[in-house]
Amino acid sequence: MKVNLRTQINDREIDLEIEPRLLLSDLLREHLNFTGTHVGCSYGVCGACTVIIDGKPARSCLTLAIQANNCSVRTIEGVAASSTFDRVSSAFHQEHGLQCGFCTPGIICSIVALTESGKNIAEEDIDKVVDGHLCRCTGYVNIRKAAKKAVGIYQGDENAR
Amino acid sequence: MRPATFEYLAPKTLEEALELVGDDSRPLAGGQSLIALMNLRFATPEALVDLQGIPDLTRISDDGEFIRIGAMASQADTETNSIVLNSVPLVAECIREIGHWQIRTRGTVGGNLAHSDPASELPAVMVTLGAHYHLASKRGERKIPAVEFHQGAYDTALDPDEILTHIAVPKQKPTERSALNESVRAAGAYAIAGTTSILERNNETCLRAKLVLFATGSKPYEVQGLNSVLVGKELNSGSFSEASELVASQAPHFDDFHATAEQRKQIFRALSERVLQETWQKFQVGSS
């Protein structure tokens, strides 16, 4: 039996009849064409599918679409349209924080959620956030630098380039 | 993989939810374990009763003697809650070790406990602190000590028509301190071995000691005979070393792909000595 989902995704009002078993990640990718949300493991380990639900980072593969009823969901597409994104994307560019890019949208959603949480961010917080994402090519050294630069606690090493 | 089909039910009150849960109609909390199991088709419930629409279940309160944590309180909200941080600091310390932030934003305290994963930290902490779980069903309410609730791997005292509503954790006394440590292969991964402890003292003398092992065997295990090693003695590293030998002698001995029986014994010896030291040091710095 289908259920009615009303939610806001990237400032778009959604009103859809869906199957309860539809995962949020599949709603985003298959029904709404927000394919920037990547699906890696589909059981919560890799972090590629991380989106922002009501301001908090969450795994869209471990969230039923219907659990996002009456919520506000932001994907990388929504994040990219926000004012905070320029600083984050420049930091990832300058510090070579991505290579193949598969894990990047999830990492950026987490970093943006951390920035917007209003928390006074320490280096340790960055590590805790990056912990929740698997990267198999870029390496965490550059991702950590980029993330720290994105939140303004690292200026970058000019001599390194 | 994707979940098999199921019926989705979204009650607005606990009473409605209790009408809906039963044999193959299972409560859905944060879904951070259940949906993974459903994606892999290890779990194929006929119906899910989503508890997220019941605001009462997320409340965290202080009734003077106990901190009451609603089963649907998210782990992320609980670990930063000032009541929890001040009165049951071990709960906050423990939750920071569960999964990742991105999991804890949706994962709930009650969901973790009802899942009863033998590698999970939280059941062991609740056993250590002597918490009680409050269960509700159409037949009425009952409360059960944590140690009786966790019956085995993924096995609890919950009947199919029952819902875990909240957990009552005794507030830390000024004379008590507690700590947790574990051995993991990578941050956020499942623990290979873990220990939690609580010490109560009068001046420098130990009044009560409890140490619980997790991530080995099927449920949290309270080390037996620890009081006879520590109680009445002055707490120092010598007594902790003796206690760790007792732990090593009781730690389950089995081989698996994580560690051999001998390695496991050594890990438990080291972890338990360390966790007792850490607990004791918390008295010295006056922190919680």
Side-chain angles (χ1 to χ4, degrees), chain B residues 12-62:
Chain B
K12 292 287 170 222
T13 64
L14 179 62
E15 291 66 35
E16 279 176 44
L18 294 174
E19 291 289 333
L20 299 171
V21 294
D23 286 333
D24 214 18
S25 181
R26 308 307 307 146
L28 170 64
Q32 299 303 285
S33 298
L34 180 57
I35 294 175
L37 292 173
M38 289 172 66
N39 283 349
L40 296 165
R41 304 271 172 118
F42 288 146
T44 53
E46 268 173 32
L48 286 185
V49 180
D50 189 350
L51 304 181
Q52 79 170 349
I54 308 172
D56 281 357
L57 294 181
T58 60
R59 196 177 301 136
I60 298 176
S61 63
D62 177 352

Side-chain angles (χ1 to χ4, degrees), chain B residues 150-161:
Chain B
H150 299 286
Q151 298 193 334
Y154 314 104
D155 186 16
T156 70
L158 269 172
D159 286 326
D161 64 342

Side-chain angles (χ1 to χ4, degrees), chain A residues 3 19-21 23 26 42-44 50 53 56-59 61-64 66-67 110 113-114 129 131-133, chain B residues 1-6 8 28-32 35-36 39-41 48 50 52 77 100-103 105-106 187:
Chain A
V3 287
E19 267 197 79
R21 68 173 183 152
L23 298 172
D26 287 338
S42 84
Y43 57 95
T50 302
I53 305 177
K56 295 168 185 166
R59 305 290 200 231
C61 78
L62 291 189
T63 306
L64 300 171
I66 191 63
Q67 285 180 290
S110 284
L114 178 68
V129 166
D131 268 355
H133 295 274
Chain B
M1 292 272 288
R2 301 295 179 265
T5 52
F6 58 87
Y8 174 82
L28 170 64
Q32 299 303 285
I35 294 175
N39 283 349
L40 296 165
R41 304 271 172 118
L48 286 185
D50 189 350
Q52 79 170 349
D77 286 346
H100 308 283
W101 180 40
Q102 298 88 343
I103 298 284
T105 53
R106 296 195 65 79

Side-chain angles (χ1 to χ4, degrees), chain B residues 75-203:
Chain B
Q75 291 156 9
D77 286 346
T78 308
E79 74 184 86
T80 52
N81 181 285
S82 60
I83 297 175
V84 172
L85 285 164
N86 290 327
S87 301
V88 285
L90 185 62
V91 173
E93 197 182 316
C94 160
I95 289 177
R96 291 196 283 268
E97 304 300 327
I98 300 174
H100 308 283
W101 180 40
Q102 298 88 343
I103 298 284
R104 300 195 297 272
T105 53
R106 296 195 65 79
T108 64
V109 170
N112 177 292
L113 297 172
H115 185 52
S116 200
D117 189 317
S120 180
E121 298 86 354
L122 205 50
V125 161
M126 294 304 177
V127 169
T128 306
L129 298 179
H132 279 80
Y133 300 175
H134 289 252
L135 317 180
S137 71
K138 280 194 289 182
R139 298 169 285 134
E141 289 179 28
R142 63 178 175 134
K143 69 170 186 176
I144 180 168
V147 69
E148 290 173 32
F149 180 85
H150 299 286
Q151 298 193 334
Y154 314 104
D155 186 16
T156 70
L158 269 172
D159 286 326
D161 64 342
E162 281 182 315
I163 291 175
L164 171 60
T165 59
H166 74 271
I167 299 97
V169 191
K171 290 167 76 169
Q172 179 171 278
K173 294 191 251 173
T175 51
E176 288 174 344
R177 292 293 184 273
S178 53
L180 163 146
N181 65 26
E182 62 185 17
S183 173
V184 290
R185 290 258 183 249
Y190 283 104
I192 299 170
T195 56
T196 61
S197 72
I198 185 166
L199 293 172
E200 188 176 358
R201 71 166 187 180
N202 177 20
N203 296 321

Side-chain angles (χ1 to χ4, degrees), chain A residues 102-147:
Chain A
F102 192 82
C103 64
T104 315
I107 294 178
I108 289 186
C109 283
S110 284
I111 296 292
V112 166
L114 178 68
T115 315
E116 292 175 354
S117 69
K119 205 180 163 199
N120 200 359
I121 303 165
E123 217 169 284
E124 193 194 61
D125 298 314
I126 296 291
D127 289 351
K128 295 266 175 200
V129 166
V130 175
D131 268 355
H133 295 274
L134 286 183
C135 164
R136 298 287 90 144
C137 67
T138 313
Y140 293 96
V141 173
N142 286 359
I143 292 173
R144 287 172 70 220
K145 278 187 193 165

